[in-house]
Amino acid sequence: MPSRMQSLRKKIDLIDSQLLKLLNERAGCTQEIGAIKNRAGKRAYVPERESEVYRRLLEMNKGPLNKKAIIAIYREIMSASIALEQPMTVAYLGPEWSFTHLASLKKFGDAVEYRECQTIGEVFVEVEKGRSHHGVVPIENSTEGAVNHSYDLFMESDLQICSELFMDIRHNLMSTGALSSIKKIYSKAEVFGQCRAWLEAHAPHVELVPVSSTSLGAEMASREKGTGAIASDLAARHYKLKIVARSIEDLNDNVTRFLVIGTESASRTRRAKTSLMFSVKDKIGALQEMLAPFKRNGLNLVKIESRPSRRRAWEYYFFVDLVGHQADPKVKKAIDELQKYCTYLKVLGSYPTAP
């Protein structure tokens, strides 16, 4: 057994040497690509290329590494590649170790620079002003639904959606003491909603205090005795809190969708989504007319969300996600037809479907 193990370790060392050589060879190609992009004034992060790399690798993969492992490994390889091409800054809804921060790390890796923002609106401003190349914002949760503030900001901003990602959300109750000592719990209001059944069963008399982020709640709990927070396990580790109860969310399938925003959307790719925002004329059958162009062109709508316009009472904007890229003939035709029924229409971006 020891000799077999030693033999396998020598083989691993040899493979590692080959991998390192190939990774640096890959990095050299990346630097050349970066120089070409810089001369052409093109952006470092190309979501359609990222999507193509993941798709090709996952199709080639025969195991034993699974999909999640392959994506995690290549996320860091591509993160390092972006940093070699040109410095890139990503704004996110903070503070550090909030779920949006973790989503940003999952999307862009450790090699890029991150800028913490206090509000979703500040993330938009950072990108609009050119202080950050991209921003990451939450848009919806499988349990609690839409993040309305993110939708509202698209009404006023010219920024485009250029990518998306989904992240499993696991909520943990953490504190410096035991559950019996907790008199107050800090977290986001949406998180309390996602953990309602557990809290009613195990902490019915504890005061729930909404704060702007789960990470801020963890920080506050680390400074105040007799308090707890609901946040990620990384937040517990960062603020040196003990996890009192793990995965207290009511539904196991608790997923949040995040959007990457930038000044331009992605080019055409094999598997894409397009997001639209529009308002329709106030008349009988208006919503039915709105849906007709998508049906006529055989397009699949994966989401419809409505928001008050905030300009006139009972006037609404509709947000639609459909399968396909705005450059696809059927999508383009549907958008042109839809324009006839709208008082306002804006394409928020086309982007690769998350792997």
Side-chain angles (χ1 to χ4, degrees), residues 219-333:
E219 181 187 2
M220 294 171 71
S222 70
R223 293 188 274 103
E224 299 178 28
K225 288 185 177 181
T227 66
I230 302 175
S232 69
D233 55 355
L234 287 178
R237 193 182 311 169
H238 181 74
Y239 292 109
K240 296 180 173 57
L241 291 167
K242 178 176 67 175
I243 294 182
V244 176
R246 290 185 179 275
S247 297
I248 65 171
E249 62 278 354
D250 295 339
L251 299 177
N252 291 329
D253 189 21
N254 186 27
V255 179
T256 295
R257 179 185 177 214
F258 296 86
L259 298 178
V260 178
I261 54 175
T263 54
E264 54 187 293
S265 61
S267 299
R268 196 173 180 183
T269 188
R270 185 190 297 187
R271 295 171 56 192
K273 285 182 185 175
T274 296
S275 294
L276 309 173
M277 180 184 96
F278 53 86
S279 59
V280 294
K281 298 167 185 176
D282 184 14
K283 65 175 186 177
I284 295 173
L287 292 180
Q288 185 176 358
E289 287 179 344
M290 173 196 81
L291 295 173
F294 302 114
K295 183 178 180 180
R296 281 196 297 267
N297 288 281
L299 297 176
N300 182 24
L301 301 186
V302 292
K303 183 174 179 62
I304 301 177
E305 192 76 34
S306 65
R307 290 292 297 148
S309 71
R310 300 190 297 176
R311 296 176 182 174
R312 187 183 306 166
W314 311 116
E315 181 181 75
Y316 288 85
Y317 282 106
F318 294 89
F319 294 84
V320 167
D321 292 342
L322 60 89
V323 176
H325 192 280
Q326 59 187 303
D328 296 343
K330 287 185 177 181
V331 176
K332 188 176 185 304
K333 185 180 178 183

Side-chain angles (χ1 to χ4, degrees), residues 49-292:
R49 171 59 180 164
E50 173 192 60
S51 176
E52 175 62 22
V53 169
Y54 283 142
R55 183 196 61 76
R56 186 175 60 83
L57 289 168
L58 293 175
E59 287 179 356
M60 290 169 48
N61 183 42
K62 303 299 182 184
L65 291 176
N66 60 24
K67 172 182 175 179
K68 185 176 180 181
I70 294 296
I71 290 176
I73 291 166
Y74 271 85
R75 175 198 64 204
E76 292 303 331
I77 291 173
M78 287 192 281
S79 178
S81 297
I82 289 171
L84 283 172
E85 288 185 21
Q86 53 186 252
M88 191 174 83
T89 302
V90 175
Y92 68 91
L93 175 64
E96 277 190 309
W97 313 116
S98 64
F99 285 109
T100 309
H101 180 215
L102 299 182
S104 303
L105 290 167
K106 178 181 177 181
K107 184 65 176 175
F108 291 102
D110 288 318
V112 306
E113 180 183 342
Y114 291 97
R115 180 162 288 141
E116 176 188 319
C117 298
Q118 299 305 308
T119 65
I120 295 174
E122 190 180 332
V123 176
F124 274 75
V125 170
E126 282 292 312
V127 181
E128 288 168 343
K129 298 290 186 183
R131 294 190 289 261
S132 294
H133 297 86
H134 294 283
V136 178
V137 296
I139 194 67
E140 61 180 318
N141 175 266
S142 59
T143 304
E144 291 297 294
V147 180
N148 291 328
H149 190 39
S150 294
Y151 278 110
D152 290 343
L153 287 164
F154 278 113
M155 297 182 195
E156 305 161 5
S157 176
D158 290 327
L159 293 179
Q160 294 273 294
I161 303 167
C162 57
S163 192
E164 68 171 358
L165 71 149
F166 294 86
M167 193 168 81
D168 293 331
I169 303 297
R170 296 290 175 262
H171 293 309
N172 306 292
L173 177 61
M174 56 199 66
S175 178
T176 57
L179 175 60
S180 58
S181 69
I182 298 174
K183 308 301 180 188
K184 185 188 300 182
I185 297 175
Y186 296 111
S187 198
K188 292 188 70 175
E190 295 88 345
V191 172
F192 291 138
Q194 294 168 26
C195 304
R196 186 177 294 111
W198 191 95
L199 290 168
E200 288 176 353
H202 298 91
H205 304 300
V206 174
E207 181 185 1
L208 306 180
V209 182
V211 291
S212 60
S213 78
T214 56
S215 185
L216 175 60
E219 181 187 2
M220 294 171 71
S222 70
R223 293 188 274 103
E224 299 178 28
K225 288 185 177 181
T227 66
I230 302 175
S232 69
D233 55 355
L234 287 178
R237 193 182 311 169
H238 181 74
Y239 292 109
K240 296 180 173 57
L241 291 167
K242 178 176 67 175
I243 294 182
V244 176
R246 290 185 179 275
S247 297
I248 65 171
E249 62 278 354
D250 295 339
L251 299 177
N252 291 329
D253 189 21
N254 186 27
V255 179
T256 295
R257 179 185 177 214
F258 296 86
L259 298 178
V260 178
I261 54 175
T263 54
E264 54 187 293
S265 61
S267 299
R268 196 173 180 183
T269 188
R270 185 190 297 187
R271 295 171 56 192
K273 285 182 185 175
T274 296
S275 294
L276 309 173
M277 180 184 96
F278 53 86
S279 59
V280 294
K281 298 167 185 176
D282 184 14
K283 65 175 186 177
I284 295 173
L287 292 180
Q288 185 176 358
E289 287 179 344
M290 173 196 81
L291 295 173

